[in-house]
Amino acid sequence: MFTERPDIERILSVVEQRLSEDRTLARQVGMYCCREFSRTSLSRIGEIYGVSDAGVSVASRRVTGRLKNDARLREVVKAIVDDLGLLNVEI
């Protein structure tokens, strides 16, 4: 799918840059991106965000659901994927 997975710090930085105006959405999208694009465990992602691994799963599912109907969010996540240099990622 893609050759090198970004580290979690890079993902957090890019998400924060793209979604600085909406901290709640930035947290949810950050958890989604960390889960989808890094090799970081749910428990580690949860530690970073101060939630349980179940909380990471819930946030990721919410973003996944919103991506189906929210064209603006899809564009933002696509831009994040591009900024991360990921190839062949479908949103």
Side-chain angles (χ1 to χ4, degrees), residues 2-18 29-30 32-38 76-87 89 91:
F2 39 84
T3 56
E4 187 175 321
R5 292 179 181 258
D7 62 31
I8 199 164
E9 291 79 17
R10 175 86 175 117
I11 292 171
L12 296 175
S13 173
V14 169
V15 170
E16 180 62 31
Q17 288 173 342
R18 288 282 178 181
V29 170
Y32 167 84
C33 289
C34 288
R35 182 176 185 190
E36 294 295 317
F37 308 132
S38 76
V76 170
V77 173
K78 284 179 184 177
I80 290 167
V81 166
D82 289 344
D83 290 350
L84 293 171
L86 301 174
L87 305 173
V89 175
I91 303 299

Side-chain angles (χ1 to χ4, degrees), residues 5 12 21 25-26 28 33-34 39-40 52 54 67 75 81:
R5 292 179 181 258
L12 296 175
E21 76 284 351
L25 184 59
Q28 291 176 344
C33 289
C34 288
R39 294 185 190 269
T40 307
S52 67
L67 286 170
E75 290 304 314
V81 166

